[in-house]
Amino acid sequence: MEIESGSYQNIVKKESWRTVLTLAFQSLGVVYGDLSISPLYVYKSTFAEDIHHSESNEEIFGVLSFIFWTITLVPLLKYVFIVLRADDNGEGGTFALYSLLCRHARVNSLPSCQLADEQLLEYKTDSIGSPQSGFAASLKSTLEKHGVLQKILLVLALIGTCMVIGDGVLTPAISVFSAVSGVELSMSKEHHKYIEVPAACIILIGLFALQHYGTHRVGFLFAPVILLWLMCISAIGVYNIFHWNPHVYQALSPYYMYTFLKKTQSRGWMSLGGILLCITGSEAMFADLGHFSQLSIKIAFTSLVYPSLILAYMGQAAYLSQHHVIETEYNIGFYVSVPEKLRWPVLVIAILAAVVGSQAIITGTFSIIKQCSALGCFPKVKIVHTSSKIHGQIYIPEINWILMILCLAVTIGFRDTKRLGNASGLAVITVMLVTTCLMSLVIVLCWHKSVFFAIAFVVFFGTIEALYFSASLIKFLEGAWVPIALSFCFLLSMCTWHYGTFKRYEYDVQNKVSVNWLLSLGQTLGIARVRGLGLIHTELVSGVPAIFSHFVTNLPAFHQVLVFLCIKSVPVPHVRPEERFLVGRIGPKEYRIYRCIVRYGYRDVHKDDFEFEGDLVCSIAEFIRTEAANATAAETNGEEDDRMSVVGTCSTYMQGMEDHYESDVDDPDKPGTSEIRSPKPKKKSKSKVKKRVRFVVPETPKIEKETRQELMELTEAREGGVAYIMGNAYMKAKQGSGLVKRLAINVCYEFLRRNTRGPRNMLTSPHASTLEVGMIYHV
């Protein structure tokens, strides 16, 4: 037994390591595409104007020393060894840090939060260190008490998000343009200036035009392309080191940074904006953590990406240290250090690598916008899932075309890597500064580490990043204004949408109808109850929305079964299927009124209407069956029953229901209490088969007559048709409101609401079954 057990453990261990290495290989194409192509433009951007390559080589060695220590301290030390540990149930990125803080300090931007949400398995507040110290407890209390600090924290997270979106505009432009710039060495000046920009624009248009197909169709090529590119630049680097200057390794000493700044002074400080580009894409290691694992990302970076980049930069420095006068307009750059016979093959590989790196940041932009939209900080947009197997592969049409137009605009407008580099550098370093600030709070509040450790973290990495930030900001008029302008526009839209959404929810809470009023109408609610199932969509987690009273006042008829449906997001990345639904009852059983709260994480995939309807009705049926089986139902006395039961999707309890039935009845073919029957297609076809849910109530004394009757009515209502009733609110500022509020609500918010998706699209309800009730909200 011991031998068999040991061999089994070895097999599992081998399989797990095989999985980790496979993920590490796949992460090359998704995570490290942007970081790997940085050698294309770092030296060219650094020596563009501020400093010049001299015979003493102090500039080139100083730049190499800065590049080496920047890559070592920021991506390797900060992200690989510290930041990657601050995952939110396996997810990373700016909003993952904000989500962690929301749960640990009860700082939540979502107004519809409930205590029941804290019982979710994913809503864990496990910490690394010991219990909170006095300072951590006081910091937590201060954040919870002061709404201004909560808003500042939210705005800080949004600034980082907006800069990521700005990077999604600038990274494809500078990557593709730098890759295409290699044709300069093979053409005359008169010809290449007419080739570069059109070629870059054609590649960018093709890149964005193919987004709707999804990266999974060509994703298997991403990792091999980046692997080939890293092997290529490292091999060229090793060749240049041994052929031109084997002693270039001495420039890795920090002493050369001191001599560089001593000689160049302010001009050297301004050139740091170009050196900064060597860590472009480092944030992707944390942002794309949800697609891989910490160990796989660490292995890929430390064993392949990091040494390849260092060899590439050392090789370029070795070549340039022996070539001080270059007789081309290209001056200092990547392609000039490539052996002449290899330039065309390397050019092709570089263009492919640039496309892969651009694809990674575009996909990351789609993902972070989806997270912002789920947390109520971005207008509702159409989200298309391009892969049914790979989680996170999404496409947002509106954002895709906006990014393409902006990307083409900066490419045509700047037409050189210098200003593109200035713009991209500021966006990158701003995101890193935001991550540093949020991480300091995570260290204290979530990890329960000493405040001195958090201060040391901020001071050490914050000083490095502040130095680069100042060098980038000084180039405001030379391109750095672009990410600031883009981020300001996106931040204004996000803040306006969040403010309008909060005001709308506040109005709903203040004007909700009392449950006592609803129950006082009697069993028929004072109106005609017709056959069918009515789903009243609301943002409220308690009470009756105003749209319902508005509807029944003008049309005194409604369905035999009413469900007040609330679809909300919670500050966790995923909600497990067994915890998806919260189901409760409003009023006595004979009223047939239920409340159902559907909870999604900010990275969860919303189901289509047919599958969602099935899960919804299944959850209500399971609630009815469980309530009767446990004998916990009590007669209400005119008040809403606040007790809500956690019910999963159909797949989570179907097996349990079958087992329960088989233990009671001998006939195995007889359906259970709330059994789902899906018609089995005879043959697989290309068209998607729509599942229809059907409930069959068995004739068995195990189910009480009253419960059987309720299940029967639910079945009849489902078969009679489902109607979606949704509110379409028009927001207007109250009379006497200030100018800023009138502009925010009447102009900005209403413009965003009319030009983005409504709740009907978010619920993916069929058009023929949807009824929108219009109301004017004076906020």
Side-chain angles (χ1 to χ4, degrees):
M1 288 296 293
E2 293 178 358
I3 297 177
E4 292 178 357
S5 177
S7 61
Y8 174 77
Q9 291 176 358
N10 290 333
I11 293 174
V12 172
K13 186 175 181 180
K14 290 180 180 179
E15 290 179 350
S16 63
W17 274 106
R18 187 183 301 116
T19 302
V20 170
L21 294 178
T22 301
L23 289 174
F25 172 72
Q26 293 174 348
S27 69
L28 293 176
V30 177
V31 177
Y32 297 110
D34 190 11
L35 183 62
S36 299
I37 59 178
S38 58
L40 285 172
Y41 44 77
V42 170
Y43 279 111
K44 187 175 182 181
S45 299
T46 304
F47 288 90
E49 186 178 75
D50 301 312
I51 57 177
H52 302 283
H53 185 29
S54 65
E55 295 284 344
S56 64
N57 288 329
E58 290 181 346
E59 293 85 0
I60 192 67
F61 289 161
V63 170
L64 175 60
S65 183
F66 264 103
I67 290 174
F68 171 75
W69 287 106
T70 302
I71 295 178
T72 302
L73 294 177
V74 179
L76 183 62
L77 180 59
K78 176 186 173 182
Y79 281 94
V80 170
F81 291 108
I82 301 177
V83 176
L84 283 181
R85 300 177 65 198
D87 65 299
D88 182 15
N89 293 296
E91 300 293 338
T94 304
F95 261 88
L97 295 177
Y98 180 71
S99 176
L100 280 175
L101 294 173
C102 284
R103 299 204 301 273
H104 284 79
R106 298 182 185 271
V107 180
N108 200 341
S109 63
L110 299 172
S112 58
C113 55
Q114 296 174 280
L115 290 176
D117 298 336
E118 299 182 12
Q119 304 302 320
L120 293 169
L121 292 177
E122 297 281 340
Y123 204 104
K124 62 182 180 180
T125 56
D126 297 339
S127 57
I128 297 177
S130 58
Q132 290 185 347
S133 62
F135 179 82
S138 61
L139 178 61
K140 175 183 176 182
S141 176
T142 303
L143 283 174
E144 292 175 351
K145 289 179 181 179
H146 296 83
V148 176
L149 296 179
Q150 298 178 17
K151 293 177 181 178
I152 292 175
L153 190 64
L154 175 62
V155 170
L156 185 64
L158 292 180
I159 289 174
T161 301
C162 292
M163 282 295 179
V164 171
I165 299 174
D167 196 25
V169 174
L170 297 167
T171 294
I174 189 173
S175 301
V176 174
F177 191 86
S178 300
V180 174
S181 64
V183 300
E184 293 184 20
L185 297 178
S186 303
M187 295 184 180
S188 62
K189 181 179 179 181
E190 291 74 15
H191 289 89
H192 76 71
K193 67 180 181 180
Y194 298 109
I195 296 296
E196 281 184 341
V197 176
C201 290
I202 291 174
I203 294 174
L204 289 172
I205 292 173
L207 175 64
F208 284 100
L210 295 176
Q211 289 299 311
H212 69 280
Y213 290 108
T215 57
H216 67 285
R217 298 183 185 274
V218 291
F220 65 93
L221 292 176
F222 284 5
V225 167
I226 297 300
L227 178 61
L228 180 62
W229 168 251
L230 291 173
M231 294 176 63
C232 177
I233 62 175
S234 58
I236 294 174
V238 171
Y239 168 79
N240 286 331
I241 291 172
F242 285 99
H243 188 266
W244 297 110
N245 191 349
H247 300 287
V248 72
Y249 68 89
Q250 297 176 355
L252 302 182
S253 170
Y255 171 76
Y256 285 89
M257 291 192 291
Y258 168 74
T259 57
F260 170 76
L261 292 177
K262 182 179 179 181
K263 180 179 181 180
T264 58
Q265 297 182 359
S266 62
R267 293 179 293 107
W269 165 65
M270 295 173 65
S271 69
L272 294 180
I275 299 175
L276 164 66
L277 298 177
C278 69
I279 54 176
T280 300
S282 299
E283 186 73 21
M285 284 192 289
F286 185 47
D288 293 327
L289 183 60
H291 300 287
F292 303 97
S293 64
Q294 290 187 28
L295 185 58
S296 62
I297 290 178
K298 290 178 180 179
I299 289 175
F301 182 80
T302 54
S303 64
L304 183 60
V305 178
Y306 177 75
S308 297
L309 290 176
I310 298 301
L311 288 174
Y313 287 117
M314 289 178 63
Q316 290 185 59
Y319 177 88
L320 294 173
S321 66
Q322 302 299 323
H323 296 79
H324 302 93
V325 180
I326 302 175
E327 299 178 354
T328 65
E329 293 292 329
Y330 191 77
N331 294 326
I332 295 177
F334 170 76
Y335 289 104
V336 75
S337 64
V338 177
E340 188 172 354
K341 295 181 180 180
L342 299 177
R343 282 175 183 169
W344 280 106
V346 171
L347 174 65
V348 174
I349 299 174
I351 293 175
L352 293 176
V355 170
V356 173
S358 302
Q359 176 63 61
I361 190 65
I362 293 171
T363 304
T365 303
F366 291 158
S367 178
I368 200 167
I369 287 178
K370 177 181 179 294
Q371 295 177 27
C372 292
S373 180
L375 294 177
C377 297
F378 198 87
K380 305 300 182 183
V381 290
K382 181 180 181 181
I383 298 176
V384 180
H385 295 271
T386 58
S387 175
S388 59
K389 298 180 180 179
I390 303 176
H391 170 72
Q393 297 292 344
I394 61 175
Y395 166 68
I396 305 177
E398 299 94 332
I399 300 301
N400 182 69
W401 302 123
I402 291 175
L403 290 179
M404 186 190 76
I405 293 173
L406 294 175
C407 191
L408 292 176
V410 297
T411 303
I412 298 172
F414 287 157
R415 287 175 291 182
D416 62 54
T417 55
K418 173 191 169 185
R419 287 181 290 180
L420 284 172
N422 293 337
S424 179
L426 183 61
V428 169
I429 198 63
T430 305
V431 177
M432 292 183 177
L433 276 172
V434 171
T435 300
T436 300
C437 295
L438 295 178
M439 269 299 302
S440 63
L441 294 176
V442 169
I443 290 172
V444 176
L445 296 177
C446 305
W447 291 358
H448 301 164
K449 295 291 185 180
S450 171
V451 65
F452 297 105
F453 181 72
I455 293 175
F457 179 86
V458 171
V459 170
F460 183 75
F461 293 107
T463 302
I464 297 173
E465 292 162 358
L467 180 65
Y468 282 114
F469 179 80
S470 62
S472 298
L473 194 60
I474 202 69
K475 303 292 185 65
F476 181 83
L477 297 179
E478 300 175 26
W481 61 270
V482 173
I484 295 178
L486 291 175
S487 299
F488 177 78
C489 294
F490 281 106
L491 181 63
L492 183 64
S493 300
M494 289 181 177
C495 292
T496 301
W497 184 262
H498 180 72
Y499 175 74
T501 302
F502 182 80
K503 284 296 181 181
R504 177 177 174 175
Y505 183 84
E506 193 178 58
Y507 181 91
D508 283 334
V509 172
Q510 294 174 354
N511 293 273
K512 65 181 181 181
V513 180
S514 171
V515 176
N516 293 330
W517 170 83
L518 181 68
L519 301 180
S520 66
L521 300 177
Q523 182 175 348
T524 62
L525 302 183
I527 56 178
R529 302 291 290 269
V530 298
R531 190 169 183 259
L533 177 64
L535 301 180
I536 300 97
H537 185 269
T538 176
E539 301 292 333
L540 299 176
V541 294
S542 63
V544 178
I547 61 167
F548 179 72
S549 62
H550 184 70
F551 179 83
V552 297
T553 302
N554 294 275
L555 185 64
F558 221 82
H559 301 84
Q560 68 185 99
V561 176
L562 299 181
V563 179
F564 290 98
L565 177 65
C566 174
I567 299 178
K568 71 171 190 175
S569 296
V570 290
V572 295
H574 304 285
V575 175
R576 304 191 179 205
E578 59 268 24
E579 300 176 314
R580 177 79 64 203
F581 293 92
L582 274 176
V583 184
R585 189 188 300 277
I586 299 178
K589 286 186 176 182
E590 58 268 16
Y591 279 56
R592 305 296 188 252
I593 305 177
Y594 309 94
R595 182 183 305 284
C596 185
I597 300 173
V598 189
R599 302 177 291 185
Y600 286 99
Y602 57 80
R603 293 197 65 128
D604 275 334
V605 178
H606 290 226
K607 297 183 177 180
D608 58 28
D609 55 313
F610 285 93
E611 194 172 0
F612 177 79
E613 281 183 17
D615 284 343
L616 177 64
V617 181
C618 273
S619 66
I620 297 175
E622 176 65 9
F623 166 75
I624 296 171
R625 187 189 69 84
T626 306
E627 186 184 49
N630 297 334
T632 59
E635 294 294 330
T636 58
N637 52 3
E639 297 181 356
E640 179 181 9
D641 189 359
D642 292 331
R643 289 173 295 181
M644 304 284 287
S645 299
V646 178
V647 183
T649 57
C650 297
S651 58
T652 60
Y653 54 77
M654 185 52 57
Q655 183 64 41
M657 291 170 63
E658 291 174 357
D659 293 342
H660 172 77
Y661 172 78
E662 290 171 1
S663 63
D664 292 337
V665 187
D666 295 333
D667 187 3
D669 297 326
K670 194 172 182 179
T673 305
S674 302
E675 182 181 356
I676 295 181
R677 285 189 174 182
S678 302
K680 298 181 180 179
K682 295 180 180 179
K683 295 182 180 180
K684 293 183 179 180
S685 59
K686 295 183 179 180
S687 61
K688 187 178 179 180
V689 179
K690 300 289 186 180
K691 295 183 179 180
R692 183 170 180 82
V693 180
R694 183 187 175 197
F695 297 93
V696 181
V697 183
E699 294 294 336
T700 170
K702 294 294 182 180
I703 299 181
E704 297 180 0
K705 182 178 180 181
E706 186 179 2
T707 303
R708 187 185 302 114
Q709 179 63 29
E710 189 173 2
L711 289 172
M712 289 288 292
E713 290 190 23
L714 180 63
T715 304
E716 293 174 0
R718 173 67 171 85
E719 294 176 351
V722 179
Y724 295 82
I725 294 88
M726 302 181 180
N728 192 354
Y730 297 86
M731 301 268 288
K732 286 187 178 181
K734 291 180 180 179
Q735 291 184 356
S737 300
L739 177 62
V740 176
K741 184 176 181 179
R742 292 201 305 270
L743 287 175
I745 297 297
N746 298 349
V747 180
C748 298
Y749 180 82
E750 277 301 298
F751 174 81
L752 293 173
R753 186 191 64 81
R754 292 173 182 174
N755 292 277
T756 53
R757 308 273 164 169
R760 176 173 55 82
N761 302 91
M762 295 304 296
L763 195 59
T764 63
S765 57
H767 292 259
S769 304
T770 302
L771 179 63
E772 292 188 357
V773 181
M775 288 188 66
I776 298 178
Y777 285 17
H778 293 279
V779 298

